[in-house]
Amino acid sequence: MKTVIIGGGIAGISTATHLRRRDENAEIIILEKNKEFGVSSCALPYLLSGIIEKPEDITGATVEQMWQIFKIDVRLEHEVIDIDRKNKMLILEGKTPVSYDNLVIATGAIQLRPDIEGVLGDNIFTLRNLESVDKMKLYFEGTDAHDVLILGASNIGLETAEAFIRLGAKVCIVEETCGIMPDFDPEIVRRIENHLRNVGVKLYLRRKVTAFCDNYALLDNGIKINYDMVIIATGVRPDVKLPIMANIHLGHSGGIITNQYMQTNDPDIFAAGDNVEFINAITKQAERQPSTPRSIMQANVIANFLSGHKTPIGDVITYNISPIFGYTMACAGANEKQLLKNGIEFKHIYLLQNNCDLYMPNSQQMLLKLIFTPDGKILGIQGVGRCGIDKRIDIVANLIKKGGTVEDLSKIMISYSPPYSMAKDALINLGNLACAVVREEIHYYNFEKLSQNEDIFLVDIRQAKSFETRHLPHAVNFPLATIRDNLACFPHDKKIVLYCGNGYGAYIAYCILRNCGFDNAYLLNTPYDLTTDL
């Protein structure tokens, strides 16, 4: 059986090597149109910054090693320009046609330059391969560039911004949406946006570049931003030119439609990687999202199928993680925007808690947001912090994939040692808090309603010194330890809304008041330390 794979990225290589491990006799060919092979595109910003010093450190097996170790025939600079499905033949640019029994389209995604005047200038770059990194470094160092403008504030834009800050540049980012990292909800994003400003990155949000001139970019509000070089990081689009020509079906998202075994509408043609559409298990909508782990999973499904082992891809959820100037942002599942768009009812809670015991030198505060249905099914998780975010988001991501509930989260098993977690980990507290919301044992007051001037009794339960430094407008101060001695000061005829720095003290005060007959007590749904970001 002859399997031909179009594309020498992670999806193509993973399909080939996994198939070889399954089938020693299969004939396997990889056709790659470029000179580069097996480059980790996710690592390019770190090569640019110098964190990774040598290009060979971010490449996998060489063409020669692929043949010597796996007996896989890798052919570079072999561009497929058409697929003859009837005769199972691939037409190549300037090369002899290649036949196939099974075909895997793993062409990935391409970085497109937006249609902006001047976007093809010599000092405007895209980060896409090793050659592009070399060009950026040569221009930056050779022209003594100093001011770098980055268009786009998703993962690649922010990671490239950090790379240039490390190289000594002054960086500004222009993003046409309302905030950075669109997979996250605004209140999570604000903390990182404030951090970016603190480290010297200028942000122009809700703004579009209308033209790139000789040495400045013109924004849609008339502002001019001087630059020495520009990096385009506005995202990628699936490379689907070949599927379109071969009448391989595409979905609403623009990606290739496949079944649970990654087959297209032609049962002998498969697809894997960033050019594939999937159905989001939560929203039930067709989506695309670049993801190396998902590409590898899809590749394994194809290789298993071709070797006689049917293992369906299963439910798919989205996730994202990125390091940003010492912080980690991560999320899994759906965000509020997606849920609102699809008419899915939800509740959400926040938790501010450290990643490990407070007396440890690596103890850092984490901000976590959990989104769930009214009956407790987990829909999404978001987090930001300096330590411990990745582990906790991964745990909840797998719960979401399995249809887990907030009660499942409250009983999650987390290994404990002081440097790694608290004895009662943040995820367990998050689960317990969500369970109380589901059982209607906790009643929240929305932070957004504070601006509506409703007649409420707003109580700050922090210590007097913290209250005097800063507090919410119209709040009164009753430190937590004084609540029981001042019950007569709390009204019964209006809502009592309690808040503190991280939410935990306010929860204790809430329990005290409720147990003392104050059914009009509420918790502010946003901890004060988070409101300062907003």
Side-chain angles (χ1 to χ4, degrees), residues 500-518:
C500 67
N502 61 14
Y504 180 67
Y507 172 65
I508 296 175
Y510 172 87
C511 292
I512 293 171
L513 290 177
R514 281 274 170 167
N515 290 331
C516 290
F518 289 90

Side-chain angles (χ1 to χ4, degrees), residues 459 461-462 480 497-513 522-524:
V459 181
I461 63 90
R462 297 175 300 155
L480 178 59
V497 180
L498 303 151
Y499 76 88
C500 67
N502 61 14
Y504 180 67
Y507 172 65
I508 296 175
Y510 172 87
C511 292
I512 293 171
L513 290 177
Y522 290 78
L523 275 176
L524 190 64

Side-chain angles (χ1 to χ4, degrees), residues 431-480:
N432 285 331
L433 191 59
C435 284
V437 172
V438 169
R439 294 192 294 262
E440 298 186 346
E441 296 171 358
I442 293 181
H443 298 272
Y444 279 109
Y445 189 87
N446 288 331
F447 175 73
E448 293 79 8
K449 292 179 65 177
L450 292 180
S451 61
Q452 298 176 7
N453 297 319
E454 181 182 357
D455 185 18
I456 62 172
F457 192 67
L458 183 61
V459 181
D460 186 326
I461 63 90
R462 297 175 300 155
Q463 294 299 313
K465 185 177 181 181
S466 298
F467 179 82
E468 291 166 3
T469 301
R470 184 190 292 177
H471 59 266
L472 291 176
H474 312 299
V476 295
N477 183 220
F478 286 96
L480 178 59

Side-chain angles (χ1 to χ4, degrees), residues 47-330:
L47 181 65
L48 174 64
S49 70
I51 292 176
I52 298 172
E53 297 180 355
K54 297 179 291 184
E56 52 267 32
D57 289 341
I58 65 170
T59 57
T62 64
V63 171
E64 293 75 21
Q65 290 170 332
M66 289 292 286
W67 178 254
Q68 294 167 357
I69 298 172
F70 296 104
K71 289 297 183 285
I72 294 171
D73 181 4
V74 179
R75 304 176 188 180
L76 303 184
E77 298 183 271
H78 278 59
E79 182 177 4
V80 179
I81 58 175
D82 201 3
I83 301 171
D84 181 353
R85 289 171 52 190
K86 181 178 180 181
N87 297 301
K88 289 194 171 184
M89 192 71 66
L90 302 177
I91 311 304
L92 280 73
E93 178 71 40
K95 308 285 185 182
T96 303
V98 176
S99 64
Y100 67 87
D101 295 314
N102 295 294
L103 177 65
V104 180
I105 301 175
T107 47
I110 53 178
Q111 172 75 63
L112 296 177
R113 295 191 182 215
D115 185 15
I116 300 174
E117 179 185 345
V119 76
L120 298 178
D122 292 337
N123 58 347
I124 299 179
F125 304 86
T126 58
L127 185 63
R128 61 188 185 277
N129 53 24
L130 294 176
E131 184 181 5
S132 69
V133 173
D134 288 339
K135 288 181 178 180
M136 286 185 195
K137 280 190 170 182
L138 285 172
Y139 190 90
F140 182 76
E141 296 168 358
T143 64
D144 196 27
H146 189 60
D147 294 313
V148 177
L149 187 157
I150 295 175
L151 191 60
S154 293
N155 298 60
I156 192 69
L158 295 178
E159 291 169 11
T160 304
E162 185 167 357
F164 276 106
I165 289 288
R166 289 179 64 91
L167 293 173
K170 291 176 62 179
V171 173
C172 72
I173 297 174
V174 178
E175 170 58 51
E176 68 176 65
T177 66
C178 61
I180 66 172
M181 300 291 278
D183 289 340
F184 294 79
D185 289 323
E187 69 275 22
I188 304 297
V189 161
R190 295 294 177 267
R191 176 161 288 199
I192 294 299
E193 288 175 351
N194 292 337
H195 179 58
L196 287 170
R197 295 183 181 101
N198 290 337
V199 298
V201 177
K202 289 186 177 180
L203 296 177
Y204 295 85
L205 305 176
R206 302 183 185 89
R207 297 270 69 96
K208 292 183 180 181
V209 173
T210 58
F212 291 108
C213 303
D214 290 339
N215 60 355
Y216 68 88
L218 182 64
L219 300 189
D220 54 355
N221 62 350
I223 289 179
K224 295 180 180 180
I225 303 176
N226 294 326
Y227 66 80
D228 297 314
M229 59 189 296
V230 175
I231 312 301
I232 303 295
T234 49
V236 295
R237 298 292 182 270
D239 187 350
V240 291
K241 179 178 67 174
L242 284 174
I244 291 173
M245 295 173 62
N247 197 27
I248 298 298
H249 295 171
L250 304 183
H252 295 297
S253 71
I256 301 171
I257 297 175
T258 63
N259 63 13
Q260 283 285 298
Y261 303 102
M262 308 312 298
Q263 287 174 298
T264 67
N265 54 294
D266 185 326
D268 296 322
I269 298 181
F270 300 75
D274 295 345
N275 56 355
V276 172
E277 176 178 285
F278 59 86
I279 302 300
N280 187 308
I282 296 171
T283 65
K284 310 303 179 186
Q285 300 299 310
E287 296 183 16
R288 287 183 300 101
Q289 184 196 45
S291 167
T292 297
R294 188 182 300 118
S295 295
I296 294 172
M297 188 182 303
Q298 293 168 346
N300 289 348
V301 168
I302 295 172
N304 288 342
F305 187 91
L306 293 177
S307 58
H309 303 275
K310 292 187 177 182
T311 54
I313 192 70
D315 287 339
V316 177
I317 65 167
T318 56
Y319 47 84
N320 196 350
I321 186 169
S322 188
I324 302 173
F325 292 92
Y327 278 81
T328 297
M329 288 186 75

Side-chain angles (χ1 to χ4, degrees), residues 331-359:
C331 65
N335 57 39
E336 286 196 22
K337 182 179 178 180
Q338 291 173 302
L339 297 171
L340 289 170
K341 180 180 178 180
N342 290 282
I344 300 173
E345 190 177 358
F346 65 90
K347 295 178 179 292
H348 70 263
I349 57 171
Y350 304 101
L351 183 71
L352 288 166
Q353 183 174 323
N354 283 39
N355 61 301
C356 66
D357 283 324
L358 298 177
Y359 48 77

